[in-house]
Amino acid sequence: MDRHGTGRAPASLDRGDQPVNLAIFLVGMTVAHLLELPYAPVLVFGVVVTIRRMVRKDLQRRKQGRSWRNNWVLEFVLLVILLPLAGQGISKMNNMIVFGGIVLAIAAFVAWRSYRTVPAEHVGIVRRVQGRSHPEFRHITPHNTRGILARALLPDRPSWLLPLRYEVTFVPRTRVAEDKIGLVTAKEGKMRPASRSLALPVACDSFQDGQAFLLNGGEQGRQVDTLANGQAYYINTELFEIEQVDRVYVPPGTIGLVNAKAGGIRPPGRLFGPHVECENFQNGGLFLAGGGEQGRQLAILQGGAYYNINPALFDVVTVNNVEEGRGELTVQHLQEISIPIGYTGVVITLDGADPESSDGLGPRVPGHEGFRLPWVFMQNGGRRGVQEETLREGTVCALNPYFVRVVLIPTRLLILEWNDKTQAEYWNYDAHLDRIAVTVQGHRLFVDMSQTLQIPPASAPILVSKNGGSQMTGLGGLDWNPLPVQRFVERVLGAIVASYFNQIAAAATVKDFLEAYAETRADLSSQVRNALQAWGVEVRNTTLGEFRAEDPTLNEILKRPAHEQMRSELLDLELANAEREDAIDVVRVRAESRRMALELKARIEVLGLNNVMVLEMLTEITKAPVPQFIGGGDLSAYLETQPIARLEELMDKMRSLHGAAGAGLDGETRPSLTERDTQGGTQGDAP
C-alpha cells in the first residue's frame, strides 16, 4: 500500500519502470532473433507489461480525471498487435517448450515483481500477509513472521520480496525542524513497570533500527530519549509515533528551574534529589540511570541558550512560562542576581546540614564557586542558614532561588536621622527613628539628631543573623527588603540614644540640661561608638540639633538669652565702629593741618611773610559787608565800616600774632597801612 492506502507507490514513482520494461522487451526480441529462438515468451512479456500499464493508467484516470494523458488507446493498439503474434508463436511451439516458456515467464514475472527499490528520502515499511504470527509480537514483529516487520527498507538498498507474500508502503522519512525536538512513542514493545512513566533507553540507532529496539527489550509508550533538532531520520512510522515540540529556550540574564517528573522518590526531609550529570538534563537516560529523583533539581539552566529537553521527563520553568500558575515563583526569582555597588550580598542557604546554633554563621566551604554549585556546597559539609561568605559588590551570578536567598546590606556611608517621617520614607533604613523627646521638670523637649555610620562587609552576616529578614516562604532569590538594617538601627542604635537622653533628663533641670548640652553630644557619640563596635560597625559622626520645647512660652524663654546675647554683640560692634570713626577723624585733622602748614610755608618762602599777610587780609576784606546807601548823620560811623579801617584792625592783630616773626624777617619797624596808603596817594597825584 502507498501512503494513501492503495498498496503501491504514487504514480510519479512508477514511471521509472516504463523504460526498463521497454528495454527488456527490445533486448528479448533481439536475442530471440539472433539465436533463432521462439518469439512467443517475449511477446507474452510484452502483453503482460501492456496490460499492467493499462491497469495503472486506468487507476490514474480515476484519481485525476479524464484527460489525454490518461488515454490508453496506444496500449490497446499494441495489445491487439501483440496478442495474435503471441498466439501464433505459441501454436507453432510444442507442448514442452510452451510449458517451459510459461514456467520461465512466470518465474521472470515473480522475480521482477519481487524487486523493491525505495525512492530517495523515503522509507519502505514491509507487511507480511502470509505465514504464521509470532506469539509475542503479533502486530509489529522483529522476526520474519506475519505482521508489520520492525525493520524498514532504506533508499538505495534493493530488496527481493515475494509480491503475494509482502506488501511495501513508501512513506517520507522523518525530519525534525531546527527549533523542535522529536518525542518518540513506541507502539510495540515490552510492558514497562507501573512505577515508571517513561521507557528506558535502548540502543537502536535513534529509533531507526526497529528490529534492534524490540529485540533489545524496548518498551511501549513514551520514550525517555528524543530526536535531536535539524536532522532527518529513517524511522518506521508503524512502530514509532513522532511528535515535534519546541526546544527549551532560556533568555539571557535569566535562569531556568528544572523539576523532574520521573525518577526515584526522594526521602522525607530532603528538598532536592541528588545531582546527576546528564548534559544539562538533555540526556534523560543518564538522569534515570544515575539515580535521579523526582522534584526540584539543584542544577539550573544558564540563560542565553537552547536545550533539547524531554518535556515528558522534565518541567522547565522560565520567564516565558512562569506566569502560567507556577506557585509563588515570579519573574524576579528567575533573574540573575546582581550585587550593586555600595552593597554586599549576605547569603542564606535553604538546604544543607543543620547549623550548630540558631544564630551562628555557616563556615566557609570550598569549591562551590560562589554558591553556583550547590551540590558541591552540600557535599563539602555546607550548613543551612546565614553564611559567613558574602557576595561582593559588582558580582553577577546565576543562583537557584530554591536553594539560596541573598539579602542586600549597604556598605556605603549611611546617614540616619531622628525626625518626623513621611509615608514615602517607609523604606529608609531610619524609618523607625522618630524625633527625640525628653521630659525635664515637666517640660517636653524635642531635638533632631543624625548619625553617620558604615557597615563593613565582614559585619553584614552577623547583622542579618541577629535581626532576621522579611521572607516567610521557602523561596529565595534577591531580597531588597531593608528590614534587617531597620531592626538593627531601631533595636541597637535607637535604644542607646533613647536610654541616654532619658537618663540625663531624669537627673537635671531645664537650665542644667541646656548648659550641659555641648557635653551631651560628645558623651553620646562615645556611647554610640562603644555600642556599635561590638557589632563591627564603624561610627563616623554624631550631630545634635537645637532643642525645641513643646510649650511655646518656654520656647520664648529659651530664645530670650540668645536674643539678648545677639543684641549685646550688636552694641559692642556699634561701639567699636564709633571708636574707629573717631580715630579716623583725628588722623584726618592731623593730615589736614600738616597739609595747610606745608602749603603756608611754601607760600611764605615764595612771596614773603608780609605779602602773604596782605593777600590774606585782602581775602578777608572782600568778605566784609558794605552798605548800599549812605544817609545823613555822623560820618565817623560810616568810616568805621570802610575797608581801610577794617584793614587797620586786621593789621594790628597780625602784628600781635607775628610780631616776633616780623621782626626777624625785616629787622625794622613796619609802617602802618594808613601811612603807606597816604603816602602812596600823595605820590599818585604826580604825573
Side-chain angles (χ1 to χ4, degrees):
M1 293 182 296
D2 63 8
R3 62 187 300 182
H4 301 287
T6 61
R8 300 188 184 277
S12 60
L13 302 177
D14 292 335
R15 291 174 183 172
D17 295 343
Q18 300 176 11
V20 176
N21 296 334
L22 179 60
I24 294 173
F25 180 78
L26 294 177
V27 170
M29 292 295 293
T30 302
V31 172
H33 175 72
L34 293 176
L35 299 179
E36 296 181 357
L37 295 175
Y39 293 97
V42 181
L43 294 174
V44 170
F45 175 79
V47 171
V48 172
V49 170
T50 303
I51 293 174
R52 180 170 176 268
R53 179 173 173 78
M54 292 175 66
V55 172
R56 285 184 178 180
K57 297 189 71 172
D58 184 63
L59 293 175
Q60 293 178 11
R61 182 184 60 185
R62 292 179 182 179
K63 291 181 180 180
Q64 302 178 8
R66 298 179 179 274
S67 65
W68 65 273
R69 293 181 180 179
N70 293 330
N71 192 351
W72 39 263
V73 174
L74 178 61
E75 286 78 6
F76 181 77
V77 172
L78 291 175
L79 187 61
V80 171
I81 296 174
L82 292 176
L83 280 175
L85 294 176
Q88 184 179 2
I90 293 173
S91 63
K92 294 180 179 181
M93 299 172 61
N94 58 37
N95 293 335
M96 292 299 296
I97 295 176
V98 172
F99 179 75
I102 293 174
V103 173
L104 182 62
I106 292 174
F109 177 77
V110 171
W112 172 60
R113 290 292 297 163
S114 299
Y115 181 78
R116 296 288 189 274
T117 301
V118 180
E121 298 185 358
H122 284 72
V123 178
I125 299 176
V126 182
R127 179 175 179 270
R128 182 171 178 173
V129 296
Q130 300 292 334
R132 294 168 47 183
S133 61
H134 193 277
E136 183 179 357
F137 304 99
R138 297 182 179 275
H139 178 57
I140 301 177
T141 173
H143 308 287
N144 192 17
T145 56
R146 188 172 63 184
I148 298 175
L149 302 186
R151 66 182 181 90
L153 303 182
L154 302 180
D156 301 328
R157 296 181 184 179
S159 302
W160 297 88
L161 299 172
L162 294 178
L164 299 179
R165 198 172 189 181
Y166 299 95
E167 293 180 352
V168 181
T169 301
F170 300 133
V171 297
R173 65 178 179 175
T174 301
R175 175 175 290 279
V176 181
E178 191 65 36
D179 57 344
K180 306 282 187 179
I181 61 171
L183 302 185
V184 182
T185 302
K187 302 177 182 179
E188 188 65 59
K190 294 172 55 178
M191 298 293 293
R192 68 174 182 272
S195 60
R196 185 157 35 81
S197 59
L198 295 175
L200 295 177
V202 174
C204 56
D205 190 19
S206 297
F207 305 102
Q208 296 180 106
D209 190 344
Q211 188 175 19
F213 175 82
L214 295 178
L215 293 178
N216 292 336
E219 298 174 341
Q220 300 179 34
R222 181 61 57 85
Q223 304 296 305
V224 68
D225 286 343
T226 61
L227 301 180
N229 61 301
Q231 300 186 45
Y233 301 88
Y234 295 93
I235 293 179
N236 187 339
T237 55
E238 292 294 328
L239 176 58
F240 301 107
E241 180 181 351
I242 310 301
E243 177 188 1
Q244 297 195 29
V245 296
D246 294 332
R247 305 170 68 194
V248 174
Y249 176 66
V250 182
T254 67
I255 63 173
L257 299 180
V258 181
N259 290 276
K261 299 179 179 179
I265 299 177
R266 65 177 181 268
R270 219 169 64 194
L271 298 179
F272 303 93
H275 175 70
V276 179
E277 292 292 344
C278 53
E279 301 175 7
N280 290 317
F281 305 101
Q282 298 179 105
N283 193 329
L286 285 179
F287 177 81
L288 296 178
E293 295 178 350
Q294 302 178 34
R296 298 171 180 174
Q297 303 299 307
L298 284 169
I300 62 174
L301 301 179
Q302 300 289 335
Y306 285 89
Y307 300 89
N308 293 342
I309 294 180
N310 190 340
L313 176 57
F314 299 109
D315 180 24
V316 181
V317 182
T318 68
V319 293
N320 298 324
N321 60 11
V322 70
E323 303 295 341
E324 300 174 3
R326 303 289 178 169
E328 296 176 329
L329 276 176
T330 64
V331 173
Q332 286 71 27
H333 290 110
L334 301 179
Q335 302 291 332
E336 290 183 344
I337 291 178
S338 177
I339 308 300
I341 301 299
Y343 290 84
T344 190
V346 177
V347 179
I348 303 175
T349 56
L350 306 180
D351 197 8
D354 292 335
E356 296 180 352
S357 61
S358 59
D359 56 354
L361 300 181
R364 293 178 178 269
V365 177
H368 56 78
E369 297 184 6
F371 305 95
R372 295 176 178 88
L373 306 178
W375 54 93
V376 177
F377 174 85
M378 299 175 67
Q379 291 171 1
N380 293 339
R383 297 185 177 276
R384 184 175 62 253
V386 181
Q387 302 299 307
E388 180 183 348
E389 181 178 353
T390 62
L391 302 179
R392 294 184 298 178
E393 60 180 6
T395 300
V396 178
C397 53
L399 301 180
N400 191 332
Y402 287 132
F403 176 69
V404 296
R405 179 184 305 136
V406 179
V407 180
L408 289 179
I409 300 298
T411 56
R412 54 184 171 80
L413 284 178
L414 295 180
I415 301 177
L416 308 175
E417 297 181 345
W418 282 256
N419 53 21
D420 296 332
K421 299 297 190 301
T422 63
Q423 189 65 28
E425 296 174 312
Y426 173 79
W427 288 94
N428 290 356
Y429 295 115
D430 57 3
H432 302 295
L433 298 182
D434 296 327
R435 187 184 304 276
I436 299 173
V438 294
T439 303
V440 181
Q441 290 184 313
H443 296 283
R444 286 180 59 82
L445 303 178
F446 301 96
V447 64
D448 292 336
M449 174 180 171
S450 66
Q451 177 67 58
T452 303
L453 55 83
Q454 189 170 19
I455 304 173
S459 303
I462 192 67
L463 186 146
V464 174
S465 176
K466 297 290 186 180
N467 295 280
S470 60
Q471 292 280 354
M472 302 299 294
T473 67
L475 276 177
L478 188 62
D479 187 1
W480 280 89
N481 199 302
L483 188 57
V485 179
Q486 288 179 343
R487 287 176 175 174
F488 166 75
V489 170
E490 179 185 11
R491 296 174 180 177
V492 179
L493 187 59
I496 293 172
V497 173
S499 175
Y500 176 80
F501 278 105
N502 289 333
Q503 289 178 3
I504 64 174
T509 64
V510 174
K511 180 180 178 181
D512 295 337
F513 184 83
L514 297 179
E515 290 178 350
Y517 184 62
E519 299 177 358
T520 298
R521 176 188 173 280
D523 190 19
L524 176 61
S525 177
S526 177
Q527 292 198 23
V528 169
R529 180 176 291 102
N530 294 334
L532 297 188
Q533 279 180 351
W535 292 79
V537 177
E538 301 175 0
V539 176
R540 298 301 177 89
N541 188 30
T542 302
T543 303
L544 290 176
E546 293 294 332
F547 276 96
R548 179 177 57 84
E550 186 177 31
D551 185 2
T553 304
L554 182 58
N555 279 330
E556 295 297 328
I557 296 174
L558 295 177
K559 292 178 182 179
R560 191 174 302 164
H563 291 169
E564 294 298 329
Q565 182 179 1
M566 293 176 60
R567 184 171 178 275
S568 176
E569 292 176 355
L570 180 60
L571 293 176
D572 291 341
L573 181 60
E574 291 179 353
L575 177 59
N577 291 336
E579 291 176 351
R580 290 190 182 94
E581 290 179 356
D582 290 343
I584 291 173
D585 291 340
V586 171
V587 172
R588 287 176 179 173
V589 170
R590 291 176 181 175
E592 182 65 20
S593 300
R594 185 167 49 253
R595 184 188 64 77
M596 292 177 63
L598 293 175
E599 182 179 353
L600 179 59
K601 182 179 180 181
R603 293 177 64 189
I604 293 173
E605 291 177 354
V606 175
L607 302 176
L609 178 60
N610 290 334
N611 294 330
V612 171
M613 293 174 62
V614 171
L615 292 175
E616 290 296 328
M617 292 177 186
L618 292 176
T619 302
E620 290 297 327
I621 290 173
T622 57
K623 299 178 181 179
V626 178
Q628 300 294 325
F629 300 98
I630 300 174
D634 190 2
L635 186 59
S636 60
Y638 166 72
L639 293 176
E640 290 178 358
T641 62
Q642 294 305 304
I644 296 300
R646 183 64 178 167
L647 183 58
E648 184 65 25
E649 182 182 353
L650 290 176
M651 286 292 293
D652 292 339
K653 290 182 180 181
M654 290 296 294
R655 288 191 186 98
S656 63
L657 292 175
H658 303 285
L665 290 175
D666 256 10
E668 56 185 28
T669 303
R670 300 292 182 182
S672 66
L673 183 59
T674 307
E675 296 176 352
R676 294 180 61 185
D677 289 343
T678 305
Q679 296 174 2
T682 305
Q683 295 174 357
D685 292 337

